[in-house]
Amino acid sequence: MITLEKVDGATLEAEAEKAGITLPIEQTKVWSGFQADIDGRTPWGDYLIKRDGELVAVISFIDFETHGYHYLRSMHGPAWVAKPTEAEEREVVDAIVDTVKKADKNIAFLRIDTWFADGTEKVLSTVPYDQTVVIDVTGGDDEILARMKRRGRRDVRKSLRECPAEVADETDKALTDFSEYYDVMVETGQRDGFTPAPMSDYSDMIGALGADHCRVFAARIEDRVVAWSIVTVNGTHAVRYYAGMRNEVMRLHVTDKLLYSECCILGSQGITEYDLMGIGSDFAPSLKGLNEFKCKFTEEITPVAPARDVPIKKVFYKTLQTVQGVRKALR
């Protein structure tokens, strides 16, 4: 029998550690604190998920209020002790839905990450992914390089020989003033066809998570930022959350030097895994443009559970799907 036990964030983290769960930062207390400072987002609850009294997963929810309705988001949740079978996951999802229904009548749907699609819907917004690249950053700089694909090693070595950029951890500088880095993101968005979030979203994230959980790496040429990344850290796991690059340096292998330097610095700090946060697949074809760059840094592709919607107010959710379909048709 599946039961959900509501706990505080510190207890969730402690129990996850005891069970050997590699906890994504989005399932931690520090992430809930960061989300609490964003308009329309409220930490909703942290739960231990048990089968016959034994922990099988944990989950932390954020309540998102948008367009007059509420939904719960748990990014990379549930976090499992071991990958579930389809039947095991279905049982847990049903128990989560029952718990949410009893606790809060305002929730329209859940957005959680599930291995299997049964009982779920394609997300109404965002671009989920079911594969990612995770780089092993243990063993020192030479070992990190040796584990890359041949093309990756070639491009990194070329960048180390020829790229004039200097790479450093600039977390302290970014905390003081993020405007220089944001200018690069604006240029990146104009080139790649997206609108960046307001600058405060990035600077607030760095400030709220702090240097223990968030790093900013930058590549500079003649003391001018030409590329950068925001990296989240939890335990021995790091994730490349955001990155930007100026148009003028696209042919200089700046990003190869930046990413390799990140791997080496993170590895020296005790990080073991560096997740590049999603690549394209048949499930996420719009992300396939990322694959050529990201996939050269390791021989392995890592499957992950993608985000899916689980309707609670099913009629209302169908209405949301209809509205979304009309909007797409009018574009």
Side-chain angles (χ1 to χ4, degrees), residues 84-159:
T85 65
E86 185 168 5
E88 288 169 340
E89 184 178 71
R90 182 72 258 163
E91 187 181 12
V92 164
V93 171
D94 288 344
I96 292 171
V97 169
D98 288 344
T99 298
V100 171
K101 280 182 177 179
K102 292 173 183 176
D104 193 336
K105 303 300 183 185
N106 293 319
I107 305 304
F109 62 91
L110 313 178
R111 181 162 296 159
I112 59 179
D113 292 12
T114 67
W115 288 101
F116 304 96
D118 183 45
T120 70
E121 299 283 347
K122 182 179 178 182
V123 296
L124 291 170
S125 59
T126 74
V127 181
Y129 56 87
D130 66 345
Q131 295 181 354
T132 191
V133 167
V134 179
I135 304 172
D136 180 346
V137 294
T138 62
D141 301 5
D142 292 341
E143 287 296 317
I144 292 169
L145 187 62
R147 285 190 291 264
M148 294 181 184
K149 286 183 179 177
R150 181 176 177 181
R151 179 168 168 263
R153 294 195 300 272
R154 180 200 69 197
D155 289 349
V156 167
R157 286 174 177 145
K158 183 177 178 66
S159 76

Side-chain angles (χ1 to χ4, degrees), residues 21 56-57 79-85 88 115:
I21 297 175
V56 295
W80 295 85
V81 173
K83 183 179 176 180
T85 65
E88 288 169 340
W115 288 101

Side-chain angles (χ1 to χ4, degrees), residues 47-63:
Y47 290 86
L48 306 180
I49 303 171
K50 297 181 178 181
R51 175 179 286 108
D52 299 326
E54 183 176 349
L55 188 71
V56 295
V58 299
I59 194 163
S60 178
F61 282 112
I62 304 296
D63 180 340

Side-chain angles (χ1 to χ4, degrees), residues 190-203:
Q190 291 170 344
R191 179 185 68 241
D192 295 345
F194 67 88
T195 301
M199 186 172 77
S200 60
D201 284 22
Y202 304 96
S203 57

